[in-house]
Amino acid sequence: DAGVIQSPRHEVTEMGQEVTLRCKPISGHNSLFWYRQTMMRGLELLIYFNNNVPIDDSGMPEDRFSAKMPNASFSTLKIQPSEPRDSAVYFCASSFKQGAIYEQYFGPGTRLTVT
Amino acid sequence: AQSVTQPDIHITVSEGASLELRCNYSYGATPYLFWYVQSPGQGLQLLLKYFSGDTLVQGIKGFEAEFKRSQSSFNLRKPSVHWSDAAEYFCAVVGTGTASKLTFGTGTRLQVTL
């Protein structure tokens, strides 16, 4: 089992550029989560999908952020335009949700630096 | 709304000493509770979880945690710490009625001295 795969692992970009983060969940999992981790705010849930459908995007900071899950094996988180305050580590996690009981498996994260 | 408090931001213990990391949660009904560990530059790894049943749960790497409903706590313990346990530890809770949203504590950074 390869675990959750995220790419790129590191991204440095200039303010105003578009950034796309990618995630491949564990095969067979039906839920996918995007988190952001910063020193100031800790771990924040941005959005999560169940069966490829966005269920809760209340954590998405603003319209500059968007997320898609076109199929069960791939998701993207896009920031357009990026700003320095978006600098953070972005984690993707997946789980197999049966009822209300599940556990999330995290990817290694993408460290984003916006200059 | 559910919440998690980890009162200790940073803890230092000697290798071989015992460890207890504190976690208090706030949730009206029965919570599902988790402990995750994050090594520098890595993602979060699940150490253990509590859903129901026996209130003392065993996890990986020799860790255990005890659910105490009366104290709203889920403290993580290890009898003898190894230098490789140095990392950041996160407690998390999901409420049964909160549509799968994990809420994390702010984390406790563990330093192990030799």
Side-chain angles (χ1 to χ4, degrees):
Chain A
D1 187 350
V4 176
I5 299 172
Q6 291 187 247
S7 65
R9 293 293 310 275
H10 301 272
E11 176 80 37
V12 180
T13 190
E14 291 183 349
M15 183 174 62
Q17 296 298 306
E18 177 180 295
V19 175
T20 299
L21 311 181
R22 297 172 176 79
C23 176
K24 177 179 170 55
I26 293 173
S27 177
H29 282 189
N30 61 0
S31 295
L32 184 139
F33 307 79
W34 282 101
Y35 291 88
R36 178 171 66 176
Q37 185 179 39
T38 61
M39 290 292 292
M40 292 297 295
R41 301 172 69 91
L43 270 163
E44 303 174 275
L45 177 65
L46 301 177
I47 185 172
Y48 84 92
F49 296 83
N50 193 45
N51 294 322
N52 311 336
V53 176
I55 302 299
D56 186 344
D57 64 355
S58 59
M60 296 285 263
E62 48 199 273
D63 292 345
R64 297 185 298 107
F65 285 70
S66 62
K68 294 182 179 179
M69 191 164 186
N71 56 62
S73 59
F74 184 65
S75 176
T76 59
L77 177 68
K78 186 177 292 186
I79 308 173
Q80 166 64 16
S82 58
E83 297 182 1
R85 60 191 168 123
D86 301 331
S87 297
V89 181
Y90 290 82
F91 289 103
C92 175
S94 72
S95 70
F96 180 69
K97 184 173 181 295
Q98 256 185 333
I101 299 179
Y102 73 106
E103 53 196 67
Q104 296 182 20
Y105 295 85
F106 282 73
T110 295
R111 181 173 295 277
L112 173 64
T113 303
V114 183
T115 60
Chain B
Q2 61 201 32
S3 66
V4 176
T5 301
Q6 292 181 249
D8 304 306
I9 296 174
H10 186 220
I11 284 183
T12 300
V13 299
S14 301
E15 188 175 39
S18 63
L19 171 70
E20 183 169 22
L21 301 182
R22 296 184 290 166
C23 172
N24 293 98
Y25 69 90
S26 173
Y27 183 66
T30 300
Y32 299 135
L33 295 158
F34 307 80
W35 274 100
Y36 284 84
V37 60
Q38 183 180 26
S39 297
Q42 303 296 315
L44 280 73
Q45 181 183 22
L46 181 66
L47 282 176
L48 48 78
K49 59 186 182 287
Y50 172 77
F51 290 156
S52 65
D54 193 346
T55 56
L56 183 63
V57 294
Q58 302 296 321
I60 62 171
K61 305 185 180 186
F63 285 92
E64 66 178 26
E66 186 171 12
F67 171 61
K68 293 185 177 180
R69 183 187 301 276
S70 61
Q71 300 178 18
S72 297
S73 69
F74 188 58
N75 294 349
L76 182 71
R77 301 194 295 248
K78 186 169 185 178
S80 178
V81 169
H82 188 262
W83 64 267
S84 61
D85 293 324
E88 187 139 21
Y89 292 79
F90 292 91
C91 182
V93 63
V94 60
T96 53
T98 55
S100 307
K101 292 180 70 169
L102 259 182
T103 298
F104 284 89
T106 51
T108 297
R109 181 166 298 278
L110 173 65
Q111 183 176 356
V112 181
T113 57
L114 300 176

